C-alpha cells in the first residue's frame, strides 16, 4: 500500500493542496497539486499532476466552509487513490508567535496556543486552524504538522525584532515576527544552486504576491523582514497598505468614528493596490489600465518596494544580490524592470532581454549587484518539514 502526505494551505476562500506519494521502496514524489477556490460563494476545484497536466476542473456545488471543502477533497482523494493511506498532513500556519520557532506536531494544546494568535493574523490564522480541525475530525489518528510563516525569522537580533513600546506592552508578545517565512526558507535552500554567486552573501528577497514583503538574508539566514507584528507592515500589497503612520489609525478611530471591525476590514481588505486604484488588487489589471488611479497604485507599489530595498540594504550593511519571487516577482517583467531601474544606485545593472526571458539572472555580467528570478515553492517546504518531522515521529514510535 502506498503512503500519501497531504499538504494544505487554507485561506479564507481557498484551499490549496498538494499530494505527495511514496511508492513502496522509493522516496516521496509530488503526485498532484490543486486548489478549491470560491469556498462560500462559487466553488471551483482544479488540480494538475506533477507534469502539469490537468486532472480535475470542476464546480462542486455549494461548499460553505473549510470543513465542507476538506470533506469534498477527502471524497476526491478516495476516488483517485485506491490502496493508499494518508500518513501525515502538513499545514501552512501563518502565525507561530514567539514560541513556535520550527515545524510542530499538532496537539490540542498547540491548537489552543495558535488560537490565541488569531487577532494577529485575522485574515489567515482562523482558516489555517479550521483546516487542522477538519482533518482531525476525519482522520483523528493521522499526525498533523504545523509549519509557520514566522519561524524562519526567529533568531534575528533584538533590535530587528523590537517594537519600541514600553516593556509592559512588549511582554504581551508585541514584537516584530516577520512573515512569508516558508517562501524565504525555500528560496534560501535553493539559492546555492539557483544563484550560486550570491548564495552565501547578503541577499534581499522580494516576495511580491498578493501579500508582499522583503527579507534580508545574510548567509541564508533572515536578519530582517518588512512584515512585522502582523502581516500589515512594509510594502504596499494587494489589499493591505503596508507601512502606515500609526496616527492615521488613531484618526480613523477618534475623528472618523470607525469601529474596530471597520478599521480591520479597511486595513486588511480595502487598502493597498485596491484602495489606491479603486479598480483591482491584481497587478495584471492595473498594468493593463491607463486610468491615473491605476498608474498611481503601480507607481506607489514600485516606490515603496524601492525604498524598502534601500532600508534592507542598510540592515545588511551592503548587498550582493536581489531575488524576485511569488506571483508579481516571478511573472511581471515590467515591475521587476521598474524596481531594478529605481534601485540602479545600489549597483544593479538590468539586462532587459534576460528580464523579459525571466532570467534566472536578470542583470548584466558586470553588474556590481546581481538580480535574479527564483520561483518559490512554499508547499514543497511544508512537505520537506512534514516528512522530516513524521520521520522522527515514526523513528520514536
Ligand atoms: P498569493 O499571495 O495569493 O499566493 P501569488 O504569489 O500567487 O499570491 O501572487 C498573486 C498575484 O500575482 C496576483 O494578485 C497578481 O497581482 C500577480 N500576478 C500574477 N501573474 C502576474 C503577471 N503576469 N503580471 C503581473 N502580476 C501578476
Amino acid at each position: 500500500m502506498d503512503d500519501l502526505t497531504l499538504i494544505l494551505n487554507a485561506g479564507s476562500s481557498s484551499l490549496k493542496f498538494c499530494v505527495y506519494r511514496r511508492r513502496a521502496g522509493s522516496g516521496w514524489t509530488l503526485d498532484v497539486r490543486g486548489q478549491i477556490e470560491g469556498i462560500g460563494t462559487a466553488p471551483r476545484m482544479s488540480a494538475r499532476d506533477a507534469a502539469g497536466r490537468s486532472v480535475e476542473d470542476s464546480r462542486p456545488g455549494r461548499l460553505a466552509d473549510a470543513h465542507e471543502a476538506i470533506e469534498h477533497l477527502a471524497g476526491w482523494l478516495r476516488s483517485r487513490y485506491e490502496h493508499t493511506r494518508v500518513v501525515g498532513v502538513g499545514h501552512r500556519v501563518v502565525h507561530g508567535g514567539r514560541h513556535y520557532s520550527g515545524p510542530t506536531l499538532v496537539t490540542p494544546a498547540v491548537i489552543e496556543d495558535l488560537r490565541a494568535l488569531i487577532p494577529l493574523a485575522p485574515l489567515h490564522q482562523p482558516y489555517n486552524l479550521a483546516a487542522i480541525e477538519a482533518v482531525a475530525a476525519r482522520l483523528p489518528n493521522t499526525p498533523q504538522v504545523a509549519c509557520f510563516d514566522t519561524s524562519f525569522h526567529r533568531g534575528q537580533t533584538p533590535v530587528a525584532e523590537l517594537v519600541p513600546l514600553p516593556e509592559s506592552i512588549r511582554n504581551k508578545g508585541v514584537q516584530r515576527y516577520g512573515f512569508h517565512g516558508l517562501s524565504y526558507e525555500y528560496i534560501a535552500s535553493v539559492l546555492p544552486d539557483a544563484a550560486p554567486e550570491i548564495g552565501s552573501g547578503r541577499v534581499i528577497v522580494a516576495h511580491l504576491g498578493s501579500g508582499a514583503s522583503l527579507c534580508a538574508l545574510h548567509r541564508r539566514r533572515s536578519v530582517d523582514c518588512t512584515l512585522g507584528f502582523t502581516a500589515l507592515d512594509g510594502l504596499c500589497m494587494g489589499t493591505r497598505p503596508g507601512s502606515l503612520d500609526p496616527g492615521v489609525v488613531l484618526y480613523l478611530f477618534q475623528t472618523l468614528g470607525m469601529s474596530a471591525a471597520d478599521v480591520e476590514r479597511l486595513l486588511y481588505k480595502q487598502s493597498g493596490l485596491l484602495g489606491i486604484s479603486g479598480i483591482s488588487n491584481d497587478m495584471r489589471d492595473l498594468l493593463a489600465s491607463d486610468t491615473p488611479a491605476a498608474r498611481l497604485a503601480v507607481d506607489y507599489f514600485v516606490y515603496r518596494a524601492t525604498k524598502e530595498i534601500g532600508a534592507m540594504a542598510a540592515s545588511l550593511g551592503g548587498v550582493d544580490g536581489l531575488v524576485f519571487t511569488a506571483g508579481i516577482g516571478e511573472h511581471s517583467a515590467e515591475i521587476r524592470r521598474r524596481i531594478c531601474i529605481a534601485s540602479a544606485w545600489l549597483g544593479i545593472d538590468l539586462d532587459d532581454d534576460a528580464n523579459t526571458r525571466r532570467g534566472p539572472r536578470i542583470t548584466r555580467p558586470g553588474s556590481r549587484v546581481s538580480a535574479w528570478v527564483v520561483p518559490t515553492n512554499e508547499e514543497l517546504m511544508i512537505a520537506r518539514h512534514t516528512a522530516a518531522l513524521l520521520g522522527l515521529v515514526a523513528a520514536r514510535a
Side-chain angles (χ1 to χ4, degrees), residues 99-321:
H99 301 298
Y100 293 99
S101 56
T104 299
L105 200 60
V106 174
T107 64
V110 169
I111 293 181
E112 279 322 298
D113 285 351
L114 299 180
R115 210 188 297 287
L117 297 167
I118 286 176
L120 307 195
L123 213 58
H124 301 96
Q125 195 88 342
Y127 307 103
N128 304 155
L129 294 179
I132 290 176
E133 289 178 320
V135 171
R138 290 196 59 83
L139 299 170
N141 299 317
T142 302
Q144 299 195 69
V145 176
C147 301
F148 302 101
D149 262 325
T150 46
S151 297
F152 182 64
H153 302 293
R154 299 289 60 74
Q156 290 178 353
T157 59
V159 285
E161 288 190 339
L162 188 75
V163 169
L165 293 176
E167 194 176 9
S168 57
I169 305 280
R170 284 184 274 129
N171 282 346
K172 298 192 187 320
V174 179
Q175 63 165 74
R176 297 185 68 84
Y177 290 102
F179 296 88
H180 290 142
L182 292 160
S183 174
Y184 293 128
E185 188 179 9
Y186 174 80
I187 298 289
S189 76
V190 299
L191 218 48
D193 290 326
E197 297 158 58
I198 56 168
S200 58
R202 295 163 300 179
V203 177
I204 298 168
V205 185
H207 176 110
L208 308 179
S210 46
S213 68
L214 304 177
C215 179
L217 293 178
H218 188 213
R219 298 200 180 107
R220 299 197 282 135
R221 299 187 62 150
S222 169
V223 298
D224 205 349
C225 180
T226 57
L227 288 170
F229 176 58
T230 67
L232 285 174
D233 204 2
L235 306 190
C236 177
M237 298 174 240
T239 59
R240 289 170 260 165
S243 294
L244 194 67
D245 175 349
V248 173
V249 180
L250 283 178
Y251 182 81
L252 300 177
F253 282 120
Q254 294 173 336
T255 306
L256 300 188
M258 291 174 71
S259 68
D262 287 344
V263 171
E264 181 178 290
R265 199 173 314 113
L266 180 76
L267 296 180
Y268 279 97
K269 299 195 168 161
Q270 299 170 337
S271 301
L273 295 176
L274 176 63
I276 303 169
S277 70
I279 296 175
S280 172
N281 62 343
D282 192 312
M283 185 58 87
R284 286 165 289 202
D285 298 338
L286 300 182
L287 289 170
S289 165
D290 54 8
T291 66
R295 237 177 288 143
L296 183 65
V298 177
D299 287 350
Y300 183 74
F301 183 89
V302 170
Y303 170 78
R304 190 84 223 179
T306 307
K307 190 164 160 171
E308 300 281 345
I309 284 170
M312 288 288 130
S315 295
L316 287 164
V319 58
D320 301 305

